[in-house]
Structure formats: structure tokens, C-alpha cells
Amino acid sequence: SEGLAHKVYPSVPPASVLHADMEKLRASQRDPSVGQRLALPFEGQYYTQPARRYFQLGAAFLSAGYPDQALQYLNEIVRQTPANYKAQLAIGQIHLEAGRLDEAQRALETARELNPQSPEVWNNLGGVQAARGNYTEALTLYEKALSFKATLPYVLNNAAQAYAKTG
């Protein structure tokens, strides 16, 4: 039976290493003789349930342009520590950027329940509403984010754009 296995990186890998490893994974998916399939996708030492910093690995995959792979690590954080609002926030951001608005809404609402004073959570909830065309609701959510920290330029920009679209 296939289990959960992870490659062990000695530290948070640079984007170039992740790109190379992801190419190896794609090659093994196209031609199974190239290497192990999903359980052991890359060369290296493996073991199950590694003591890794999942958030850093998820962030590394995200910054390297692999949001779906980042989700695997972030979901593992949530599985291990359900009260981690930063993981829920990152999951929500990934879904929002991918246009999966229902999934984004669910993750961001969970993050809001865990940390109702996070301006980033409110900002992203506003982003979901803006993506749905609900600019008045988005503006309300951006204003809530600004009530916690009024100097965040990206929230001010989002609020200005929502305000402009409300007419």
C-alpha cells in the first residue's frame, strides 16, 4: 500500500531545486520507468511523517510557482494543527488566485474564526467578494481590514479599486 512519503531537504530549497524536482516528478508521471511515481517522486532520502517545517516548504513551492504542491504542505499543517490561521490564510490565498472562490471563502472564513483581528484575512475575504463582483461587500471587508491596520498599501489599493467599481 502507498503511504505518505516526503523528500527530505536539508533546508528550505531554492526555487531552482524545486523546479528540477518538479520536472523529475512530471517525467515520472509521463513514463513510470523514469523513476518512482507519486509516493517517492524524487531522488533522495525519504521517510514517512518527517519532522519538517511544512509552512516553509509550502511557501517555497508557492514562491517557485507551484501552488498545488504548496497546498499539500499547507493542508498537512492544518491536519496537524487545525488552529493555524496562517496556513488557512495561505490556503485561501492560493484558492483565490486560482479562481476557486468557494474553497477560498471556506479557508478564509476558518482563518477569520481563528484570528478575527488579522487584516490579511479580511483583505482576502474582500478579494473573494471582489472576484465575485460584489464590490460593495468587498469594500466593507477592506474597511474592516483597515480598521486593524490603516497603513497597509495593498489593502488601501484594493479598497480604492472596489470603491471605484461601486460607482
Side-chain angles (χ1 to χ4, degrees), residues 2-14:
E2 292 185 21
L4 180 62
H6 302 270
K7 178 175 182 178
V8 177
Y9 293 100
S11 61
V12 176

Side-chain angles (χ1 to χ4, degrees), residues 4-76:
L4 180 62
H6 302 270
K7 178 175 182 178
V8 177
Y9 293 100
S11 61
V12 176
S16 60
V17 170
L18 290 174
H19 285 286
D21 285 347
M22 292 309 299
E23 183 52 41
K24 289 178 187 175
L25 174 60
R26 283 192 291 277
S28 72
Q29 288 172 333
R30 287 189 301 269
D31 181 4
S33 66
V34 170
Q36 299 290 332
R37 287 210 55 186
L38 294 175
L40 301 173
F42 313 117
E43 297 174 15
Q45 181 179 3
Y46 294 83
Y47 61 100
T48 58
Q49 298 300 325
R52 298 294 302 152
R53 295 184 171 207
Y54 288 106
F55 195 87
Q56 288 180 343
L57 288 168
F61 272 106
L62 186 58
S63 68
Y66 297 105
D68 291 331
Q69 287 72 26
L71 275 174
Q72 295 173 21
Y73 288 99
L74 296 169
N75 285 328
E76 182 63 18

Side-chain angles (χ1 to χ4, degrees), residues 108-160:
L108 293 167
E109 285 176 356
T110 301
R112 180 181 60 194
E113 291 169 9
L114 295 170
N115 186 356
Q117 296 182 342
S118 167
E120 292 83 8
V121 171
W122 290 99
N123 177 63
N124 282 289
L125 284 166
V128 171
Q129 292 306 314
R132 289 185 169 143
N134 301 330
Y135 299 110
T136 302
E137 178 64 20
L139 185 57
T140 301
L141 294 165
Y142 295 140
E143 288 170 349
K144 182 71 172 179
L146 291 168
S147 75
F148 295 110
K149 190 168 183 182
T151 58
L152 293 172
Y154 57 91
V155 181
L156 290 166
N157 185 51
N158 291 341

